[in-house]
Amino acid sequence: MKINTKKLFMIFIVLIMNEPPIFYNFNLINTIYRMLQIGVVFYAGIILIRRGMDKCIISVLLYCLTNIIITLLFNTNDVVIILYRMVFCFVFVYLNYFFTIEYQEEFLNIFCNILLIYTFINFLLFIKYPHGIIQIVNSNSWNNIYFLGLDNQFARIIIPALGLLFLLPNRWEGFKNIFFSFIIILSNAYVVFTCKSATLILAFVILILGIFFSKYFKIFFSGKLLFICYISIFVVFVLFNNLQITFVSDFVTYFFKKDITFSGRTVIWMKALNEFLNSPIWGQGATLTGNMIGNLSAHNIILQILLENGMIGLLLFFNIFNVTILKDYSKNNRLYKIGYMVIFSIMLSLFGEVYSLEYLLSFLLIISAVKNKRKIRATNYEQI
């Protein structure tokens, strides 16, 4: 039996980059795991030196470097951990981009399988521990605060995992693959709706409906349209909501079954906006303690970026969208039909919570990588 070393190596890299659903609170295991992650960082550095960067990678690098520089200048707390997180965020995105260009469907299927296994483990744990498993560790150590069960944190994997499932056409060929895909969707739907997280439910529903309408009704949601929709939602529900506009209040109460404060989030949003106005250009640097607004996060990804990196950080963040999805491509292409909806759904899951950006940025660059690969193939075909 011939061992596919290339595939085994990709599985190893994906396992190291995507932390497992249960993060063991044993110092030895944590130390080994972090050392392997550092090894992956060096591996990515070697590839980067040998292959160079294109505009997609440069846009992510500029955003990560800006976050690090502003944090070093304005925030003396948690610098080591934040530095590590931003470096690993870049490495995570870069390696996903690199492997997608090099191996495309073979890598994306490995990536998809591992994320789906994690979501299914979460589903099984959710049944056994319906009130959640909470592991709290020292924020100054190498350990992570990791949650399972009723906490919203697992949304960071659920939507990307389903996104890859929908994105790969071979997952919908043959009875066995279709049956397995539906089992995964239903198990995740159970977790999503039992959690009763409004943003996660909305992201899940929008993803399913968006893909359904684009597939069966030939409705195409362009990158520009979805981007404008998201900014409009942000303005209405974050900015106008803080002004206590009546129709917004009624809408929130009727559709989300929440009070006008979105379970207290609007209070945090207002604090974040006020704190942002104190340093609107470059923000105040990233922090793990939430001492600026009395909360661990701004509970909204755009506000979080404004709070930490100001308008400079937000413009660099939007620039990543600009070089990846804000140019409309073929309306008949499955990649763009599904890929845009996945990105929009991940952004919706970040509307009321702040998870790590790795999966959002990875999807932006994965779509760009597949597009670039097709362009290269088309150019080579024309030359022949």
PDB file of all heavy atoms in Angstrom, residues 216-251:
ATOM      1  N   TYR A 216     -31.302  27.149  -7.390  1.00  0.00           N
ATOM      2  CA  TYR A 216     -32.548  26.726  -8.028  1.00  0.00           C
ATOM      3  C   TYR A 216     -33.334  27.862  -8.690  1.00  0.00           C
ATOM      4  O   TYR A 216     -34.186  27.619  -9.524  1.00  0.00           O
ATOM      5  CB  TYR A 216     -33.439  26.009  -7.006  1.00  0.00           C
ATOM      6  CG  TYR A 216     -32.849  24.706  -6.536  1.00  0.00           C
ATOM      7  CD1 TYR A 216     -32.240  24.594  -5.279  1.00  0.00           C
ATOM      8  CD2 TYR A 216     -32.868  23.578  -7.354  1.00  0.00           C
ATOM      9  CE1 TYR A 216     -31.690  23.397  -4.853  1.00  0.00           C
ATOM     10  CE2 TYR A 216     -32.308  22.376  -6.932  1.00  0.00           C
ATOM     11  CZ  TYR A 216     -31.730  22.293  -5.689  1.00  0.00           C
ATOM     12  OH  TYR A 216     -31.175  21.102  -5.281  1.00  0.00           O
ATOM     13  N   PHE A 217     -33.038  29.102  -8.310  1.00  0.00           N
ATOM     14  CA  PHE A 217     -33.748  30.229  -8.910  1.00  0.00           C
ATOM     15  C   PHE A 217     -32.821  31.139  -9.689  1.00  0.00           C
ATOM     16  O   PHE A 217     -33.225  32.205 -10.151  1.00  0.00           O
ATOM     17  CB  PHE A 217     -34.480  31.037  -7.825  1.00  0.00           C
ATOM     18  CG  PHE A 217     -35.604  30.282  -7.181  1.00  0.00           C
ATOM     19  CD1 PHE A 217     -35.387  29.520  -6.039  1.00  0.00           C
ATOM     20  CD2 PHE A 217     -36.883  30.307  -7.725  1.00  0.00           C
ATOM     21  CE1 PHE A 217     -36.420  28.816  -5.445  1.00  0.00           C
ATOM     22  CE2 PHE A 217     -37.912  29.600  -7.149  1.00  0.00           C
ATOM     23  CZ  PHE A 217     -37.691  28.851  -6.007  1.00  0.00           C
ATOM     24  N   LYS A 218     -31.552  30.692  -9.848  1.00  0.00           N
ATOM     25  CA  LYS A 218     -30.565  31.431 -10.643  1.00  0.00           C
ATOM     26  C   LYS A 218     -30.397  32.865 -10.176  1.00  0.00           C
ATOM     27  O   LYS A 218     -30.146  33.772 -10.974  1.00  0.00           O
ATOM     28  CB  LYS A 218     -30.956  31.408 -12.142  1.00  0.00           C
ATOM     29  CG  LYS A 218     -31.275  30.037 -12.702  1.00  0.00           C
ATOM     30  CD  LYS A 218     -30.079  29.090 -12.591  1.00  0.00           C
ATOM     31  CE  LYS A 218     -30.400  27.722 -13.174  1.00  0.00           C
ATOM     32  NZ  LYS A 218     -29.294  26.757 -12.992  1.00  0.00           N
ATOM     33  N   ILE A 219     -30.587  33.101  -8.877  1.00  0.00           N
ATOM     34  CA  ILE A 219     -30.389  34.442  -8.326  1.00  0.00           C
ATOM     35  C   ILE A 219     -28.925  34.569  -7.930  1.00  0.00           C
ATOM     36  O   ILE A 219     -28.406  33.745  -7.183  1.00  0.00           O
ATOM     37  CB  ILE A 219     -31.294  34.686  -7.104  1.00  0.00           C
ATOM     38  CG1 ILE A 219     -32.760  34.602  -7.528  1.00  0.00           C
ATOM     39  CG2 ILE A 219     -31.004  36.048  -6.474  1.00  0.00           C
ATOM     40  CD1 ILE A 219     -33.729  34.688  -6.366  1.00  0.00           C
ATOM     41  N   PHE A 220     -28.272  35.617  -8.444  1.00  0.00           N
ATOM     42  CA  PHE A 220     -26.847  35.799  -8.191  1.00  0.00           C
ATOM     43  C   PHE A 220     -26.634  36.952  -7.232  1.00  0.00           C
ATOM     44  O   PHE A 220     -27.062  38.071  -7.469  1.00  0.00           O
ATOM     45  CB  PHE A 220     -26.104  36.088  -9.505  1.00  0.00           C
ATOM     46  CG  PHE A 220     -24.632  36.330  -9.314  1.00  0.00           C
ATOM     47  CD1 PHE A 220     -23.784  35.286  -9.000  1.00  0.00           C
ATOM     48  CD2 PHE A 220     -24.108  37.608  -9.457  1.00  0.00           C
ATOM     49  CE1 PHE A 220     -22.430  35.507  -8.825  1.00  0.00           C
ATOM     50  CE2 PHE A 220     -22.748  37.836  -9.288  1.00  0.00           C
ATOM     51  CZ  PHE A 220     -21.917  36.778  -8.976  1.00  0.00           C
ATOM     52  N   PHE A 221     -25.981  36.661  -6.106  1.00  0.00           N
ATOM     53  CA  PHE A 221     -25.673  37.696  -5.134  1.00  0.00           C
ATOM     54  C   PHE A 221     -24.207  38.096  -5.321  1.00  0.00           C
ATOM     55  O   PHE A 221     -23.301  37.344  -4.969  1.00  0.00           O
ATOM     56  CB  PHE A 221     -25.891  37.173  -3.706  1.00  0.00           C
ATOM     57  CG  PHE A 221     -27.294  36.718  -3.453  1.00  0.00           C
ATOM     58  CD1 PHE A 221     -27.635  35.381  -3.567  1.00  0.00           C
ATOM     59  CD2 PHE A 221     -28.275  37.627  -3.103  1.00  0.00           C
ATOM     60  CE1 PHE A 221     -28.929  34.944  -3.331  1.00  0.00           C
ATOM     61  CE2 PHE A 221     -29.580  37.206  -2.857  1.00  0.00           C
ATOM     62  CZ  PHE A 221     -29.911  35.870  -2.982  1.00  0.00           C
ATOM     63  N   SER A 222     -23.979  39.270  -5.901  1.00  0.00           N
ATOM     64  CA  SER A 222     -22.613  39.693  -6.187  1.00  0.00           C
ATOM     65  C   SER A 222     -21.896  40.092  -4.907  1.00  0.00           C
ATOM     66  O   SER A 222     -22.510  40.404  -3.881  1.00  0.00           O
ATOM     67  CB  SER A 222     -22.618  40.875  -7.158  1.00  0.00           C
ATOM     68  OG  SER A 222     -23.119  42.037  -6.515  1.00  0.00           O
ATOM     69  N   GLY A 223     -20.555  40.103  -4.995  1.00  0.00           N
ATOM     70  CA  GLY A 223     -19.755  40.513  -3.847  1.00  0.00           C
ATOM     71  C   GLY A 223     -20.062  41.939  -3.430  1.00  0.00           C
ATOM     72  O   GLY A 223     -20.178  42.248  -2.239  1.00  0.00           O
ATOM     73  N   LYS A 224     -20.228  42.827  -4.412  1.00  0.00           N
ATOM     74  CA  LYS A 224     -20.521  44.232  -4.111  1.00  0.00           C
ATOM     75  C   LYS A 224     -21.865  44.374  -3.403  1.00  0.00           C
ATOM     76  O   LYS A 224     -21.996  45.115  -2.424  1.00  0.00           O
ATOM     77  CB  LYS A 224     -20.538  45.054  -5.401  1.00  0.00           C
ATOM     78  CG  LYS A 224     -19.164  45.332  -5.982  1.00  0.00           C
ATOM     79  CD  LYS A 224     -19.286  46.163  -7.248  1.00  0.00           C
ATOM     80  CE  LYS A 224     -17.916  46.431  -7.852  1.00  0.00           C
ATOM     81  NZ  LYS A 224     -18.019  47.188  -9.117  1.00  0.00           N
ATOM     82  N   LEU A 225     -22.877  43.655  -3.902  1.00  0.00           N
ATOM     83  CA  LEU A 225     -24.220  43.747  -3.329  1.00  0.00           C
ATOM     84  C   LEU A 225     -24.212  43.294  -1.865  1.00  0.00           C
ATOM     85  O   LEU A 225     -24.775  43.963  -0.995  1.00  0.00           O
ATOM     86  CB  LEU A 225     -25.194  42.892  -4.133  1.00  0.00           C
ATOM     87  CG  LEU A 225     -26.630  42.791  -3.581  1.00  0.00           C
ATOM     88  CD1 LEU A 225     -27.276  44.163  -3.548  1.00  0.00           C
ATOM     89  CD2 LEU A 225     -27.455  41.816  -4.410  1.00  0.00           C
ATOM     90  N   LEU A 226     -23.577  42.160  -1.590  1.00  0.00           N
ATOM     91  CA  LEU A 226     -23.553  41.628  -0.230  1.00  0.00           C
ATOM     92  C   LEU A 226     -22.734  42.521   0.698  1.00  0.00           C
ATOM     93  O   LEU A 226     -23.072  42.691   1.866  1.00  0.00           O
ATOM     94  CB  LEU A 226     -22.996  40.207  -0.227  1.00  0.00           C
ATOM     95  CG  LEU A 226     -23.883  39.160  -0.921  1.00  0.00           C
ATOM     96  CD1 LEU A 226     -23.191  37.808  -0.948  1.00  0.00           C
ATOM     97  CD2 LEU A 226     -25.229  39.041  -0.228  1.00  0.00           C
ATOM     98  N   PHE A 227     -21.665  43.099   0.175  1.00  0.00           N
ATOM     99  CA  PHE A 227     -20.845  44.009   0.972  1.00  0.00           C
ATOM    100  C   PHE A 227     -21.647  45.249   1.365  1.00  0.00           C
ATOM    101  O   PHE A 227     -21.640  45.679   2.522  1.00  0.00           O
ATOM    102  CB  PHE A 227     -19.597  44.415   0.184  1.00  0.00           C
ATOM    103  CG  PHE A 227     -18.621  45.249   0.977  1.00  0.00           C
ATOM    104  CD1 PHE A 227     -17.760  44.657   1.886  1.00  0.00           C
ATOM    105  CD2 PHE A 227     -18.572  46.621   0.807  1.00  0.00           C
ATOM    106  CE1 PHE A 227     -16.862  45.423   2.621  1.00  0.00           C
ATOM    107  CE2 PHE A 227     -17.679  47.395   1.531  1.00  0.00           C
ATOM    108  CZ  PHE A 227     -16.814  46.789   2.442  1.00  0.00           C
ATOM    109  N   ILE A 228     -22.378  45.811   0.396  1.00  0.00           N
ATOM    110  CA  ILE A 228     -23.219  46.987   0.669  1.00  0.00           C
ATOM    111  C   ILE A 228     -24.321  46.633   1.657  1.00  0.00           C
ATOM    112  O   ILE A 228     -24.643  47.410   2.567  1.00  0.00           O
ATOM    113  CB  ILE A 228     -23.821  47.534  -0.645  1.00  0.00           C
ATOM    114  CG1 ILE A 228     -22.708  48.132  -1.518  1.00  0.00           C
ATOM    115  CG2 ILE A 228     -24.886  48.593  -0.370  1.00  0.00           C
ATOM    116  CD1 ILE A 228     -23.141  48.474  -2.925  1.00  0.00           C
ATOM    117  N   CYS A 229     -24.913  45.440   1.516  1.00  0.00           N
ATOM    118  CA  CYS A 229     -25.958  44.979   2.449  1.00  0.00           C
ATOM    119  C   CYS A 229     -25.420  44.914   3.872  1.00  0.00           C
ATOM    120  O   CYS A 229     -26.082  45.343   4.817  1.00  0.00           O
ATOM    121  CB  CYS A 229     -26.485  43.608   2.024  1.00  0.00           C
ATOM    122  SG  CYS A 229     -27.584  43.636   0.612  1.00  0.00           S
ATOM    123  N   TYR A 230     -24.208  44.380   4.020  1.00  0.00           N
ATOM    124  CA  TYR A 230     -23.638  44.234   5.362  1.00  0.00           C
ATOM    125  C   TYR A 230     -23.378  45.601   5.988  1.00  0.00           C
ATOM    126  O   TYR A 230     -23.687  45.816   7.169  1.00  0.00           O
ATOM    127  CB  TYR A 230     -22.346  43.430   5.310  1.00  0.00           C
ATOM    128  CG  TYR A 230     -21.852  43.053   6.694  1.00  0.00           C
ATOM    129  CD1 TYR A 230     -22.364  41.938   7.344  1.00  0.00           C
ATOM    130  CD2 TYR A 230     -20.920  43.836   7.355  1.00  0.00           C
ATOM    131  CE1 TYR A 230     -21.948  41.597   8.618  1.00  0.00           C
ATOM    132  CE2 TYR A 230     -20.498  43.510   8.636  1.00  0.00           C
ATOM    133  CZ  TYR A 230     -21.008  42.378   9.259  1.00  0.00           C
ATOM    134  OH  TYR A 230     -20.598  42.062  10.526  1.00  0.00           O
ATOM    135  N   ILE A 231     -22.817  46.513   5.222  1.00  0.00           N
ATOM    136  CA  ILE A 231     -22.559  47.865   5.746  1.00  0.00           C
ATOM    137  C   ILE A 231     -23.880  48.541   6.115  1.00  0.00           C
ATOM    138  O   ILE A 231     -23.972  49.225   7.145  1.00  0.00           O
ATOM    139  CB  ILE A 231     -21.787  48.710   4.717  1.00  0.00           C
ATOM    140  CG1 ILE A 231     -20.412  48.088   4.429  1.00  0.00           C
ATOM    141  CG2 ILE A 231     -21.616  50.142   5.217  1.00  0.00           C
ATOM    142  CD1 ILE A 231     -19.529  47.948   5.647  1.00  0.00           C
ATOM    143  N   SER A 232     -24.919  48.332   5.308  1.00  0.00           N
ATOM    144  CA  SER A 232     -26.238  48.912   5.603  1.00  0.00           C
ATOM    145  C   SER A 232     -26.798  48.343   6.901  1.00  0.00           C
ATOM    146  O   SER A 232     -27.360  49.079   7.724  1.00  0.00           O
ATOM    147  CB  SER A 232     -27.205  48.634   4.446  1.00  0.00           C
ATOM    148  OG  SER A 232     -26.715  49.170   3.242  1.00  0.00           O
ATOM    149  N   ILE A 233     -26.660  47.025   7.091  1.00  0.00           N
ATOM    150  CA  ILE A 233     -27.128  46.383   8.331  1.00  0.00           C
ATOM    151  C   ILE A 233     -26.381  46.961   9.531  1.00  0.00           C
ATOM    152  O   ILE A 233     -26.973  47.244  10.579  1.00  0.00           O
ATOM    153  CB  ILE A 233     -26.922  44.853   8.256  1.00  0.00           C
ATOM    154  CG1 ILE A 233     -27.867  44.240   7.224  1.00  0.00           C
ATOM    155  CG2 ILE A 233     -27.171  44.202   9.618  1.00  0.00           C
ATOM    156  CD1 ILE A 233     -27.565  42.790   6.895  1.00  0.00           C
ATOM    157  N   PHE A 234     -25.074  47.162   9.363  1.00  0.00           N
ATOM    158  CA  PHE A 234     -24.267  47.734  10.444  1.00  0.00           C
ATOM    159  C   PHE A 234     -24.771  49.133  10.809  1.00  0.00           C
ATOM    160  O   PHE A 234     -24.948  49.458  11.983  1.00  0.00           O
ATOM    161  CB  PHE A 234     -22.798  47.803  10.014  1.00  0.00           C
ATOM    162  CG  PHE A 234     -21.914  48.527  10.995  1.00  0.00           C
ATOM    163  CD1 PHE A 234     -21.477  47.890  12.148  1.00  0.00           C
ATOM    164  CD2 PHE A 234     -21.533  49.842  10.770  1.00  0.00           C
ATOM    165  CE1 PHE A 234     -20.672  48.553  13.060  1.00  0.00           C
ATOM    166  CE2 PHE A 234     -20.728  50.518  11.673  1.00  0.00           C
ATOM    167  CZ  PHE A 234     -20.296  49.869  12.819  1.00  0.00           C
ATOM    168  N   VAL A 235     -25.011  49.967   9.807  1.00  0.00           N
ATOM    169  CA  VAL A 235     -25.469  51.338  10.053  1.00  0.00           C
ATOM    170  C   VAL A 235     -26.821  51.338  10.759  1.00  0.00           C
ATOM    171  O   VAL A 235     -27.030  52.041  11.754  1.00  0.00           O
ATOM    172  CB  VAL A 235     -25.550  52.129   8.730  1.00  0.00           C
ATOM    173  CG1 VAL A 235     -26.249  53.476   8.948  1.00  0.00           C
ATOM    174  CG2 VAL A 235     -24.159  52.357   8.160  1.00  0.00           C
ATOM    175  N   VAL A 236     -27.763  50.492  10.272  1.00  0.00           N
ATOM    176  CA  VAL A 236     -29.124  50.490  10.830  1.00  0.00           C
ATOM    177  C   VAL A 236     -29.145  49.936  12.251  1.00  0.00           C
ATOM    178  O   VAL A 236     -29.707  50.542  13.168  1.00  0.00           O
ATOM    179  CB  VAL A 236     -30.075  49.669   9.927  1.00  0.00           C
ATOM    180  CG1 VAL A 236     -31.419  49.457  10.615  1.00  0.00           C
ATOM    181  CG2 VAL A 236     -30.275  50.382   8.597  1.00  0.00           C
ATOM    182  N   PHE A 237     -28.502  48.776  12.469  1.00  0.00           N
ATOM    183  CA  PHE A 237     -28.653  48.093  13.752  1.00  0.00           C
ATOM    184  C   PHE A 237     -27.638  48.526  14.807  1.00  0.00           C
ATOM    185  O   PHE A 237     -27.895  48.364  15.994  1.00  0.00           O
ATOM    186  CB  PHE A 237     -28.583  46.583  13.554  1.00  0.00           C
ATOM    187  CG  PHE A 237     -29.789  46.032  12.870  1.00  0.00           C
ATOM    188  CD1 PHE A 237     -29.756  45.691  11.533  1.00  0.00           C
ATOM    189  CD2 PHE A 237     -30.983  45.877  13.555  1.00  0.00           C
ATOM    190  CE1 PHE A 237     -30.870  45.198  10.893  1.00  0.00           C
ATOM    191  CE2 PHE A 237     -32.104  45.378  12.925  1.00  0.00           C
ATOM    192  CZ  PHE A 237     -32.052  45.043  11.592  1.00  0.00           C
ATOM    193  N   VAL A 238     -26.500  49.053  14.393  1.00  0.00           N
ATOM    194  CA  VAL A 238     -25.505  49.495  15.374  1.00  0.00           C
ATOM    195  C   VAL A 238     -25.602  50.996  15.611  1.00  0.00           C
ATOM    196  O   VAL A 238     -25.727  51.446  16.747  1.00  0.00           O
ATOM    197  CB  VAL A 238     -24.079  49.112  14.935  1.00  0.00           C
ATOM    198  CG1 VAL A 238     -23.044  49.655  15.927  1.00  0.00           C
ATOM    199  CG2 VAL A 238     -23.949  47.597  14.839  1.00  0.00           C
ATOM    200  N   LEU A 239     -25.577  51.769  14.532  1.00  0.00           N
ATOM    201  CA  LEU A 239     -25.595  53.222  14.696  1.00  0.00           C
ATOM    202  C   LEU A 239     -26.997  53.743  14.992  1.00  0.00           C
ATOM    203  O   LEU A 239     -27.220  54.444  15.979  1.00  0.00           O
ATOM    204  CB  LEU A 239     -25.025  53.895  13.441  1.00  0.00           C
ATOM    205  CG  LEU A 239     -23.590  53.497  13.072  1.00  0.00           C
ATOM    206  CD1 LEU A 239     -23.113  54.301  11.877  1.00  0.00           C
ATOM    207  CD2 LEU A 239     -22.650  53.705  14.250  1.00  0.00           C
ATOM    208  N   PHE A 240     -27.986  53.379  14.152  1.00  0.00           N
ATOM    209  CA  PHE A 240     -29.360  53.861  14.358  1.00  0.00           C
ATOM    210  C   PHE A 240     -29.978  53.248  15.606  1.00  0.00           C
ATOM    211  O   PHE A 240     -30.782  53.886  16.280  1.00  0.00           O
ATOM    212  CB  PHE A 240     -30.231  53.564  13.144  1.00  0.00           C
ATOM    213  CG  PHE A 240     -29.988  54.502  11.990  1.00  0.00           C
ATOM    214  CD1 PHE A 240     -29.024  55.487  12.064  1.00  0.00           C
ATOM    215  CD2 PHE A 240     -30.736  54.389  10.835  1.00  0.00           C
ATOM    216  CE1 PHE A 240     -28.801  56.352  11.005  1.00  0.00           C
ATOM    217  CE2 PHE A 240     -30.527  55.256   9.769  1.00  0.00           C
ATOM    218  CZ  PHE A 240     -29.551  56.225   9.849  1.00  0.00           C
ATOM    219  N   ASN A 241     -29.629  52.008  15.886  1.00  0.00           N
ATOM    220  CA  ASN A 241     -30.191  51.343  17.061  1.00  0.00           C
ATOM    221  C   ASN A 241     -29.805  52.091  18.339  1.00  0.00           C
ATOM    222  O   ASN A 241     -30.587  52.185  19.280  1.00  0.00           O
ATOM    223  CB  ASN A 241     -29.700  49.896  17.125  1.00  0.00           C
ATOM    224  CG  ASN A 241     -30.464  49.080  18.145  1.00  0.00           C
ATOM    225  OD1 ASN A 241     -31.671  49.273  18.299  1.00  0.00           O
ATOM    226  ND2 ASN A 241     -29.791  48.200  18.835  1.00  0.00           N
ATOM    227  N   ASN A 242     -28.602  52.624  18.362  1.00  0.00           N
ATOM    228  CA  ASN A 242     -28.160  53.399  19.513  1.00  0.00           C
ATOM    229  C   ASN A 242     -28.916  54.718  19.640  1.00  0.00           C
ATOM    230  O   ASN A 242     -28.955  55.316  20.702  1.00  0.00           O
ATOM    231  CB  ASN A 242     -26.660  53.681  19.417  1.00  0.00           C
ATOM    232  CG  ASN A 242     -25.831  52.484  19.839  1.00  0.00           C
ATOM    233  OD1 ASN A 242     -26.192  51.790  20.777  1.00  0.00           O
ATOM    234  ND2 ASN A 242     -24.747  52.219  19.144  1.00  0.00           N
ATOM    235  N   LEU A 243     -29.540  55.148  18.534  1.00  0.00           N
ATOM    236  CA  LEU A 243     -30.351  56.368  18.576  1.00  0.00           C
ATOM    237  C   LEU A 243     -31.806  56.062  18.937  1.00  0.00           C
ATOM    238  O   LEU A 243     -32.647  56.956  18.953  1.00  0.00           O
ATOM    239  CB  LEU A 243     -30.300  57.069  17.199  1.00  0.00           C
ATOM    240  CG  LEU A 243     -28.901  57.540  16.750  1.00  0.00           C
ATOM    241  CD1 LEU A 243     -28.977  58.114  15.336  1.00  0.00           C
ATOM    242  CD2 LEU A 243     -28.348  58.579  17.715  1.00  0.00           C
ATOM    243  N   GLN A 244     -32.085  54.766  19.202  1.00  0.00           N
ATOM    244  CA  GLN A 244     -33.427  54.337  19.621  1.00  0.00           C
ATOM    245  C   GLN A 244     -34.498  54.660  18.577  1.00  0.00           C
ATOM    246  O   GLN A 244     -35.565  55.164  18.895  1.00  0.00           O
ATOM    247  CB  GLN A 244     -33.801  54.998  20.967  1.00  0.00           C
ATOM    248  CG  GLN A 244     -32.842  54.680  22.108  1.00  0.00           C
ATOM    249  CD  GLN A 244     -32.848  53.203  22.472  1.00  0.00           C
ATOM    250  OE1 GLN A 244     -33.882  52.649  22.799  1.00  0.00           O
ATOM    251  NE2 GLN A 244     -31.695  52.573  22.391  1.00  0.00           N
ATOM    252  N   ILE A 245     -34.180  54.374  17.303  1.00  0.00           N
ATOM    253  CA  ILE A 245     -35.167  54.554  16.242  1.00  0.00           C
ATOM    254  C   ILE A 245     -36.291  53.532  16.429  1.00  0.00           C
ATOM    255  O   ILE A 245     -36.051  52.339  16.589  1.00  0.00           O
ATOM    256  CB  ILE A 245     -34.521  54.380  14.846  1.00  0.00           C
ATOM    257  CG1 ILE A 245     -33.341  55.355  14.694  1.00  0.00           C
ATOM    258  CG2 ILE A 245     -35.530  54.581  13.753  1.00  0.00           C
ATOM    259  CD1 ILE A 245     -33.729  56.809  14.757  1.00  0.00           C
ATOM    260  N   THR A 246     -37.555  53.992  16.373  1.00  0.00           N
ATOM    261  CA  THR A 246     -38.704  53.136  16.710  1.00  0.00           C
ATOM    262  C   THR A 246     -38.818  51.925  15.803  1.00  0.00           C
ATOM    263  O   THR A 246     -39.005  50.796  16.269  1.00  0.00           O
ATOM    264  CB  THR A 246     -40.005  53.950  16.635  1.00  0.00           C
ATOM    265  OG1 THR A 246     -39.878  55.075  17.499  1.00  0.00           O
ATOM    266  CG2 THR A 246     -41.180  53.102  17.089  1.00  0.00           C
ATOM    267  N   PHE A 247     -38.692  52.126  14.489  1.00  0.00           N
ATOM    268  CA  PHE A 247     -38.911  50.998  13.569  1.00  0.00           C
ATOM    269  C   PHE A 247     -37.815  49.951  13.727  1.00  0.00           C
ATOM    270  O   PHE A 247     -38.050  48.750  13.553  1.00  0.00           O
ATOM    271  CB  PHE A 247     -38.998  51.491  12.118  1.00  0.00           C
ATOM    272  CG  PHE A 247     -37.675  51.726  11.446  1.00  0.00           C
ATOM    273  CD1 PHE A 247     -37.014  50.707  10.774  1.00  0.00           C
ATOM    274  CD2 PHE A 247     -37.086  52.980  11.475  1.00  0.00           C
ATOM    275  CE1 PHE A 247     -35.801  50.926  10.146  1.00  0.00           C
ATOM    276  CE2 PHE A 247     -35.880  53.218  10.854  1.00  0.00           C
ATOM    277  CZ  PHE A 247     -35.225  52.181  10.187  1.00  0.00           C
ATOM    278  N   VAL A 248     -36.618  50.368  14.093  1.00  0.00           N
ATOM    279  CA  VAL A 248     -35.542  49.413  14.347  1.00  0.00           C
ATOM    280  C   VAL A 248     -35.863  48.585  15.585  1.00  0.00           C
ATOM    281  O   VAL A 248     -35.703  47.377  15.603  1.00  0.00           O
ATOM    282  CB  VAL A 248     -34.188  50.146  14.514  1.00  0.00           C
ATOM    283  CG1 VAL A 248     -33.091  49.140  14.857  1.00  0.00           C
ATOM    284  CG2 VAL A 248     -33.834  50.914  13.254  1.00  0.00           C
ATOM    285  N   SER A 249     -36.352  49.259  16.618  1.00  0.00           N
ATOM    286  CA  SER A 249     -36.728  48.572  17.865  1.00  0.00           C
ATOM    287  C   SER A 249     -37.808  47.532  17.611  1.00  0.00           C
ATOM    288  O   SER A 249     -37.723  46.394  18.078  1.00  0.00           O
ATOM    289  CB  SER A 249     -37.205  49.599  18.894  1.00  0.00           C
ATOM    290  OG  SER A 249     -37.693  48.949  20.040  1.00  0.00           O
ATOM    291  N   ASP A 250     -38.837  47.908  16.859  1.00  0.00           N
ATOM    292  CA  ASP A 250     -39.934  46.979  16.550  1.00  0.00           C
ATOM    293  C   ASP A 250     -39.435  45.791  15.733  1.00  0.00           C
ATOM    294  O   ASP A 250     -39.840  44.646  15.948  1.00  0.00           O
ATOM    295  CB  ASP A 250     -41.046  47.708  15.789  1.00  0.00           C
ATOM    296  CG  ASP A 250     -41.726  48.768  16.653  1.00  0.00           C
ATOM    297  OD1 ASP A 250     -41.608  48.671  17.894  1.00  0.00           O
ATOM    298  OD2 ASP A 250     -42.355  49.680  16.087  1.00  0.00           O
ATOM    299  N   PHE A 251     -38.537  46.075  14.778  1.00  0.00           N
ATOM    300  CA  PHE A 251     -38.000  45.029  13.909  1.00  0.00           C
ATOM    301  C   PHE A 251     -37.200  44.014  14.733  1.00  0.00           C
ATOM    302  O   PHE A 251     -37.360  42.799  14.577  1.00  0.00           O
ATOM    303  CB  PHE A 251     -37.103  45.657  12.839  1.00  0.00           C
ATOM    304  CG  PHE A 251     -36.574  44.676  11.818  1.00  0.00           C
ATOM    305  CD1 PHE A 251     -37.305  44.384  10.677  1.00  0.00           C
ATOM    306  CD2 PHE A 251     -35.354  44.037  12.012  1.00  0.00           C
ATOM    307  CE1 PHE A 251     -36.814  43.474   9.744  1.00  0.00           C
ATOM    308  CE2 PHE A 251     -34.874  43.128  11.095  1.00  0.00           C
ATOM    309  CZ  PHE A 251     -35.609  42.852   9.952  1.00  0.00           C
TER     310      PHE A 251
END
